[in-house]
């Protein structure tokens, strides 16, 4: 049914009738035409396809990089929803090289007002190339710690679990503090994270300290005193 007008969606509709983008794509395919959208209609799979494509370009550039953000959590097996974009950490000095290669591959570059990332678009999906994670510059050392993991069957460097948690906690603020989304990530990564280093690098941030205390109360990690006596608090 046409939800706006209560009429069936069939061949009798005139070309000017409003159709949702996905229905229009389906109509084009069934009519033998070529839909404008090349990526899968499933949003999660579309993000994964873009992630694999960008990783291929970055590998060809020979510039060090690592997958970060929600897709990195997904690569570690965390059941997160991929909703917004795919994020890659690159060094600031490699930005121009990476931007040039992306343009050569037909990927649209969008220079945002922020000076810590470059934005790009591919088939309606958004890509962030990040030089600074929660105010901390992306360094060669951070990228060297990345793990090589398969992302939808394509292997690529993925930010180290401890660095992933440090970045997520350091980004918390009074205006952005969603523990609900962060808790499954912490649970899923608990045995792969150096929680002592997380405490050391985020302990001066109230929202991060509160979240770490919550993890202690939930028995996700050991309390600080126990962690100091027995190694990393997992």
């Amino acid at each position: 049914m046409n939800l706006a007008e209560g009429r069936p969606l069939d061949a009798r509709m005139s070309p000017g009738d409003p159709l949702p983008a996905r229905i229009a794509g389906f109509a084009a395919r069934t009519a033998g035409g070529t839909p404008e959208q090349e990526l899968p209609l499933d949003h999660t799979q579309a993000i994964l396809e873009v992630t694999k494509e960008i990783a291929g370009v970055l590998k060809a550039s020979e510039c060090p990089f690592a997958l970060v953000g929600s897709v990195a959590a997904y690569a570690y097996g965390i059941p997160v929803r991929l909703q917004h974009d795919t994020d890659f950490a690159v060094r600031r000095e490699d930005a121009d090289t990476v931007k040039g290669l992306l343009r050569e591959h037909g990927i649209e570059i969008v220079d945002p007002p922020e000076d810590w990332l470059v934005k790009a678009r591919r088939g309606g999906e958004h890509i962030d190339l990040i030089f600074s994670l929660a105010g901390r510059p992306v360094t060669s050392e951070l990228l060297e710690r990345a793990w090589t993991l398969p992302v939808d069957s394509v292997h690529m460097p993925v930010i180290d679990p401890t660095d992933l948690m440090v970045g997520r906690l350091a980004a918390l603020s009074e205006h952005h503090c969603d523990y609900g989304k962060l808790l499954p990530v912490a649970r899923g990564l608990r045995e792969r994270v150096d929680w002592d280093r997380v405490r050391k690098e985020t302990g001066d941030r109230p929202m991060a300290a509160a979240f770490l205390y919550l993890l202690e109360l939930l028995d996700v990690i050991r309390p600080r005193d126990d962690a100091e006596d027995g190694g990393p608090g997992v």
Side-chain angles (χ1 to χ4, degrees):
M1 297 289 290
N2 184 317
L3 298 181
E5 302 179 28
R7 293 186 286 117
L9 295 173
D10 60 22
R12 291 172 293 178
M13 294 180 66
S14 67
D17 283 334
L19 287 174
R22 296 194 177 194
I23 297 175
F26 174 77
R29 288 193 296 274
T30 56
T34 301
E36 294 181 3
Q37 176 70 9
E38 297 177 1
L39 294 172
L41 296 181
D42 176 78
H43 189 50
T44 293
Q45 192 59 42
I47 290 177
L48 293 176
E49 291 298 324
V50 169
T51 298
K52 293 186 291 184
E53 182 177 356
I54 300 302
V57 175
L58 292 173
K59 286 179 182 179
S61 74
E62 298 186 354
C63 296
F65 72 96
L67 182 67
V68 298
S70 60
V71 187
Y74 177 93
Y76 281 111
I78 311 302
V80 296
R81 293 184 61 189
L82 305 182
Q83 297 180 351
H84 302 297
D85 51 26
T86 186
D87 304 315
F88 289 91
V90 298
R91 300 179 305 182
R92 185 181 293 273
E93 57 265 35
D94 295 327
D96 289 340
T97 299
V98 170
K99 286 165 60 177
L101 282 173
L102 291 176
R103 285 194 178 100
E104 289 178 9
H105 284 76
I107 296 167
E108 179 185 3
I109 300 297
V110 182
D111 289 319
E114 299 89 349
D115 62 356
W116 51 271
L117 84 166
V118 168
K119 288 184 174 289
R121 281 196 293 261
R122 162 74 171 89
E125 301 298 337
H126 295 266
I127 305 135
D128 286 350
L129 305 172
I130 301 171
F131 319 137
S132 177
L133 295 171
R136 304 178 184 199
V138 173
T139 63
S140 297
E141 292 74 19
L142 181 144
L143 298 177
E144 287 169 0
R145 289 195 293 267
W147 297 26
T148 299
L149 298 174
V151 178
D152 200 32
S153 78
V154 173
H155 285 76
M156 64 186 72
V158 179
I159 189 171
D160 172 83
T162 301
D163 290 321
L164 177 60
M165 284 305 307
V166 167
R168 297 291 289 268
L169 288 177
L172 295 175
S173 69
E174 295 179 2
H175 305 289
H176 178 73
C177 189
D178 189 345
Y179 289 169
K181 291 183 179 179
L182 190 54
L183 184 57
V185 178
R187 286 187 185 277
L189 294 177
R190 57 181 292 183
E191 296 181 355
R192 289 173 281 187
V193 170
D194 181 347
W195 293 102
D196 286 344
R197 181 156 75 87
V198 172
R199 287 186 174 100
K200 181 179 179 181
E201 297 190 23
T202 65
D204 60 340
R205 299 170 183 261
M207 301 303 170
F211 182 74
L212 290 171
Y213 181 57
L214 174 63
L215 294 183
E216 294 175 4
L217 293 177
L218 295 173
D219 291 326
V220 176
I221 62 176
R222 289 197 295 269
R224 176 185 289 272
D225 292 342
D226 291 347
E228 291 175 352
D229 292 339
V234 298

